[in-house]
Structures are given as C-alpha cells and as structure tokens.
Amino acid sequence: MNDQIYIDTVRDQIKAGVYKHLLWEGQLGQGKGVVLDIGANTGQVSKYFSGYCEKVVAIEPAPQTFAELEDGLGEYENIECYNVALAPVDAFVPFYVNDINFTASSTVNTYGKQIMVEGVKLSTMLKRFKLDHVDV
C-alpha cells in the first residue's frame, strides 16, 4: 500500500463515519475531551478529532512520518505532536521502518530497517504531556 492510498483510505473512513461512534455525549461531544492518537501517522485522525475536543496529543515514532505529521498539522492549535513510541519501558527501543507499507512500521513487527527511537511508557506519556485523563 503506498502512502497516498493509506491517506485516501483514512479520509474515506472518516467521511463514512467510522470514528463517529467515539463521539459520545460526554467530554468529546462538548468539545472538552482529550484524544491520545498513538501511531498518528500523517495525522488524518488527529485532524478529525481536533474539531471535537479540547486537545489532541499525536504520537508518531517514525522520524520521516513524524516530519510529515508536523508539517500537516501546523495550523491546528489544539494538536500537540511528539516523536516517541509507546513502549513497555522508558528507553530507546528498536523500531522497524517498513519500506513497502509505511503504516506497518512498528516496534513489534520486525520487517524493515531497524532504527532506535525513544520509547515511553503510557504512564510516562500522561505525566510528560500533562494529561490527567484521556477520553479516546
């Protein structure tokens, strides 16, 4: 799958309402919620949720994809981007950049070029990014 096909697929999913069920009448429905987008990729889902919540924290470990994420989200004031990976430890961890399908790059799937990225535990993310809760 090439990059544009992935982006188009996510856009089609958003238009079709695939994520709408996450917008219950709680915090998100009132524009007050917090979304943690782990593996944010190029930010399509982050962009979608930014219109429904107070804050989106977009996490993307792949350096090249992170650069695209930051470039694409510069105009969104309520989205914060961080170049880290969710990991079981607070340390640099192996990350595999998939050269065929960038959406399959992972700390778990071992296909692709191995690089080291900053790994952060969920509990550390919550503290570091000053999140006292996450709605989605």
Side-chain angles (χ1 to χ4, degrees), residues 63-119:
Q64 184 175 349
T65 305
F66 180 76
E68 293 178 35
L69 174 71
E70 276 194 315
D71 288 345
L73 297 179
E75 65 191 62
Y76 293 84
E77 293 181 12
N78 67 333
I79 301 177
E80 299 174 8
C81 301
Y82 297 96
N83 190 202
V84 298
L86 179 63
V89 294
D90 291 327
F92 278 83
V93 295
F95 183 79
Y96 300 88
V97 179
N98 189 312
D99 59 345
I100 295 172
N101 179 353
F102 80 111
T103 67
S105 297
S106 172
T107 57
V108 180
N109 179 1
T110 59
Y111 173 82
K113 178 184 175 190
Q114 180 183 324
I115 62 172
M116 298 300 286
V117 299
E118 181 184 0

Side-chain angles (χ1 to χ4, degrees), residues 116-129:
M116 298 300 286
V117 299
E118 181 184 0
V120 181
K121 296 187 302 187
L122 181 59
S123 60
T124 303
M125 279 186 189
L126 296 175
K127 290 177 193 167
R128 184 190 290 184
F129 309 142

